[in-house]
Amino acid sequence: MSVMCWEQLNITKTVRKFSIDRNLVPTGSEFHPGPIPIVNKHGDDVEEDHVDGSVPLSSRNFDSYSHQYPVLVVNFYAPWCYWSNRLKPSWEKTAKIIRERYDPEMDGRILLGKVDCTEEVDLCRRHHIQGYPSIRVFRKGSDIKDNQGHHDHESYYGERDTESLVAAMETYVANIPKEAHVLALEDKSNRTVDPAKRPAPMTGGCRVEGFVRVKRVPGSVVISARSGSHSFDPSQINVSHYVTQFSFGKKLSPRMFYEFLRLTPYLRGYHDRLAGQSYIVKHGEVNANVTIEHYLQVVKTELVTQRSSKELKVLEEYEYTAHSSLVHSFYVPVVKFHFEPSPMQVLVTEVPKSFSHFITNVCAIIGGVFTVAGILDSIFHNTLRMVKKVELGKNI
């Protein structure tokens, strides 16, 4: 966004994203989110008295239920969330309808549950719940990956009225044979599952790379969570980051970059000021809701060389200074790169020396050498004469 009210959202054509581990190594292929889902129905239009039909889940029974039913659909919600309250009546009604059609005791193919993230903080953190409501679909036997331990769950982004929810649940059950209820009945023991095998690593992250075309006016590039149908929990969002490269203008070729460093030895530190810098916020209550902001003052730099009496522009580059700060806020944490083009411009000109200037310098050097040699010879000769006079005076 810029001060001229120019704004771009959800940039996907020129920006790529990869999931990474704690060593900044990609753990999979490029992430393609697809089209951004738009929810038009956030609940039933007519509010009716509802009876709880979904099963309350907690850290104690979540693993047991997820291993007992072929499909477990969970609504992670927060009582303070507006969108969660809009969803609650239709969710409970859907759970009641699905329970009647697919009796957990007789059928056992699907179960709808709910998790109050204000009560089950650790459970929601295990599943990386940052926005409410989050509807997750866990399929038995495919919710854990051997590589990195990431959850291979599905997320429901469809409409949230009862009719749409019931249709979606029917789709989940369609490919599961009815005989699966026998296995479900046999697996109703209250055995506990080692939770250490289920959660995804807390040290993973995302690598964002690419470029964005912006206007040459003050503006900012913001990386944040954004949704028109979810409420985010600011305390669960950590925007710590490490900057590998952040520059303005066209990417320099190796040859041009060498010329740039050769001609501007005193400006090289400002070409990519943020490169190699890390900004880490440790997760915890004290460091919750931390926004990291970078303020960049951009100066245009032109490198010009004169060869054979012809002026030649080598390249056009942008230098910048950077000042960073951590700010506590009640809003969702973001990463902001504020940039402001400077009205000043740096012009570096390379002027070759003429041959006459070279000859003059050579003569000056040779003359200086002879002059210094004569001075040294005179000092040495006079010193010897004085020494001889002193010796003669002593002898007399």
Side-chain angles (χ1 to χ4, degrees):
M1 60 187 67
S2 70
V3 295
M4 305 298 292
C5 299
W6 175 82
E7 188 175 14
Q8 272 187 291
L9 297 176
N10 301 321
I11 302 171
T12 57
K13 292 184 179 180
T14 59
V15 175
R16 307 170 65 192
K17 293 180 287 186
F18 300 85
S19 59
I20 57 176
D21 59 16
R22 61 182 180 180
N23 297 319
L24 308 183
V25 178
T27 59
S29 58
E30 181 182 354
F31 175 72
H32 296 281
I36 305 299
I38 299 177
V39 179
N40 295 316
K41 299 179 181 179
H42 302 279
D44 294 335
D45 296 333
V46 180
E47 295 186 3
E48 301 177 358
D49 294 336
H50 62 273
V51 179
D52 291 349
S54 59
V55 178
L57 301 177
S58 64
S59 300
R60 296 183 299 274
N61 60 9
F62 188 92
D63 293 331
S64 177
Y65 278 107
S66 63
H67 286 268
Q68 179 177 334
Y69 294 91
V71 178
L72 175 65
V73 188
V74 184
N75 172 25
F76 294 89
Y77 71 96
W80 53 262
C81 172
Y82 170 77
W83 304 109
S84 295
N85 294 327
R86 286 283 303 273
L87 171 65
K88 184 177 180 180
S90 58
W91 180 258
E92 298 299 342
K93 187 176 180 180
T94 300
K96 183 179 179 181
I97 294 174
I98 295 300
R99 180 180 289 272
E100 293 174 352
R101 294 183 184 180
Y102 306 96
D103 189 347
E105 298 295 333
M106 301 302 297
D107 192 298
R109 283 182 287 175
I110 186 172
L111 183 71
L112 272 65
K114 58 185 177 182
V115 176
D116 184 351
C117 288
T118 60
E119 297 291 339
E120 299 294 332
V121 178
D122 293 336
L123 178 60
C124 294
R125 186 173 299 170
R126 270 175 50 190
H127 294 282
H128 292 187
I129 303 299
Q130 298 174 326
Y132 311 111
S134 292
I135 301 177
R136 301 282 179 84
V137 182
F138 298 90
R139 298 182 184 272
K140 182 178 179 181
S142 64
D143 58 343
I144 306 175
K145 284 184 177 179
D146 295 334
N147 183 22
Q148 304 296 331
H150 285 288
H151 291 286
D152 190 19
H153 56 251
E154 304 171 31
S155 295
Y156 176 78
Y157 295 112
E159 304 295 345
R160 299 174 182 174
D161 60 299
T162 302
E163 183 179 355
S164 300
L165 288 171
V166 171
M169 302 305 131
E170 292 283 1
T171 304
Y172 297 146
V173 181
N175 297 326
I176 301 176
K178 191 173 182 180
E179 290 74 12
H181 77 279
V182 177
L183 298 176
L185 292 175
E186 293 176 355
D187 195 23
K188 285 193 174 182
S189 60
N190 292 327
R191 63 185 178 89
T192 58
V193 181
D194 183 7
K197 296 181 180 180
R198 293 190 56 83
M202 298 298 291
T203 54
C206 179
R207 187 181 76 190
V208 180
E209 61 181 35
F211 66 92
V212 179
R213 296 186 181 274
V214 299
K215 305 292 184 180
R216 295 189 182 183
V217 295
S220 59
V221 176
V222 183
I223 301 175
S224 67
R226 186 185 183 99
S227 175
S229 56
H230 295 82
S231 298
F232 294 99
D233 187 352
S235 64
Q236 299 300 320
I237 297 180
N238 191 318
V239 293
S240 297
H241 57 277
Y242 172 83
V243 181
T244 303
Q245 180 183 1
F246 194 93
S247 60
F248 295 86
K250 296 181 180 180
K251 186 177 181 179
L252 301 180
S253 64
R255 184 181 69 84
M256 298 302 291
F257 187 70
Y258 171 78
E259 286 290 321
F260 176 77
L261 296 181
R262 182 179 67 85
L263 298 176
T264 58
Y266 301 104
L267 299 177
R268 59 186 301 179
Y270 296 95
H271 167 66
D272 195 351
R273 194 68 170 176
L274 294 178
Q277 302 295 324
S278 59
Y279 304 89
I280 307 300
V281 180
K282 294 183 178 179
H283 192 82
E285 296 181 358
V286 178
N287 296 321
N289 301 31
V290 174
T291 287
I292 303 178
E293 299 183 351
H294 305 282
Y295 299 90
L296 314 179
Q297 184 75 27
V298 185
V299 179
K300 183 180 179 180
T301 302
E302 287 188 0
L303 303 182
V304 179
T305 180
Q306 292 182 354
R307 298 177 181 177
S308 302
S309 301
K310 294 182 180 180
E311 186 175 289
L312 175 65
K313 181 184 292 186
V314 178
L315 58 87
E316 182 179 275
E317 185 54 37
Y318 293 87
E319 312 286 319
Y320 68 88
T321 58
H323 302 279
S324 305
S325 62
L326 278 65
V327 181
H328 287 268
S329 173
F330 292 104
Y331 302 102
V332 176
V334 302
V335 178
K336 291 183 179 180
F337 296 88
H338 302 277
F339 57 90
E340 182 176 354
S342 173
M344 300 183 63
Q345 177 178 330
V346 176
L347 179 63
V348 180
T349 304
E350 182 186 30
V351 181
K353 303 296 183 181
S354 63
F355 183 73
S356 59
H357 186 273
F358 170 74
I359 295 298
T360 303
N361 286 341
V362 171
C363 294
I365 294 173
I366 295 175
V369 171
F370 275 101
T371 300
V372 172
I375 294 174
L376 293 176
D377 179 71
S378 176
I379 293 175
F380 181 73
H381 180 71
N382 291 331
T383 302
L384 290 178
R385 290 181 60 185
M386 291 179 63
V387 171
K388 288 182 178 180
K389 287 182 179 181
V390 170
E391 291 178 352
L392 291 173
K394 289 181 178 181
N395 294 331
I396 293 173

